[in-house]
Amino acid sequence: MAKLTILIALVAALVLVVHTSALRSSEQSCKRQLQQVNLRHCENHIAQKIQQQQEEEEGSARTLQGIKHFILRDQSSQESEELDQCCEQLNELNNQRCQCRALQQIYESQSEQCEGRQQEQQLEGELEKLPRTCGFGPLRRCNVNPDEN
């Protein structure tokens, strides 16, 4: 019976070591991927969405209907291109944990430019919607604001 207990303990320790090693390898792989991927398009897309929300809230888009439509159509095309390229960038990351880390990096770089808590909340909301918008579905257990972990 003692030999069986020792054998079970050794197997459990081996599983733990293998799991820890795989986790470290996955984290290192993610770090390398994040260094190689350019998240600029995601940052631009998020910044455009927040600016658009603010303009809608402030009612600052008081232009003639025809001009407003032309401007919005042009912005929409640019936003769509930024979003497509952003989704491609996120898709290059091989797992949800790495995609979550990318969103956290975007939050960290963009939150410095936020003017107040309302903009930070808008930033969080847009980043949380991004995986679904890209068709990945929601990221499980991903808090885009690493300060709230």
Side-chain angles (χ1 to χ4, degrees):
M1 187 62 149
K3 289 182 181 181
L4 181 59
T5 304
I6 292 171
L7 181 61
I8 291 173
L10 286 174
V11 169
L14 182 61
V15 168
L16 181 64
V17 167
V18 168
H19 177 73
T20 303
S21 176
L23 191 59
R24 273 194 208 122
S25 176
S26 175
E27 288 175 12
Q28 289 172 346
S29 171
C30 181
K31 284 180 183 179
R32 278 193 305 276
Q33 289 176 49
L34 288 172
Q35 289 171 348
Q36 293 173 350
V37 74
N38 181 352
L39 298 172
R40 179 180 50 85
H41 294 290
C42 293
E43 291 174 351
N44 291 344
H45 170 73
I46 296 298
Q48 288 170 351
K49 294 295 281 184
I50 291 172
Q51 182 180 6
Q52 190 177 45
Q53 286 176 5
Q54 287 181 320
E55 288 175 357
E56 288 172 4
E57 288 173 8
E58 295 170 0
S60 64
R62 295 184 183 140
T63 59
L64 296 173
Q65 204 61 7
I67 295 172
K68 181 179 177 183
H69 178 71
F70 175 76
I71 291 170
L72 289 177
R73 191 177 71 226
D74 189 46
Q75 284 178 338
S76 178
S77 173
Q78 184 181 2
E79 287 174 23
S80 178
E81 189 175 313
E82 291 284 5
L83 176 61
D84 289 346
Q85 292 180 1
C86 170
C87 292
E88 285 179 28
Q89 292 167 342
L90 289 176
N91 195 37
E92 290 178 17
L93 304 173
N94 67 358
N95 62 47
Q96 284 193 347
R97 176 178 271 155
C98 199
Q99 289 172 344
C100 179
R101 186 64 194 121
L103 297 179
Q104 289 171 339
Q105 279 189 356
I106 294 168
Y107 179 86
E108 289 170 355
S109 69
Q110 296 283 40
S111 65
E112 296 170 0
Q113 291 138 25
C114 288
E115 297 173 3
R117 183 64 187 142
Q118 182 180 1
Q119 279 188 357
E120 285 182 18
Q121 289 173 334
Q122 288 175 322
L123 175 61
E124 285 181 47
E126 290 300 325
L127 285 169
E128 287 169 357
K129 286 191 283 186
L130 193 55
R132 282 188 298 263
T133 304
C134 289
F136 304 141
L139 297 180
R140 290 184 288 275
R141 294 179 298 227
C142 179
N143 188 351
V144 296
N145 182 350
D147 296 334
E148 293 181 359
N149 283 336

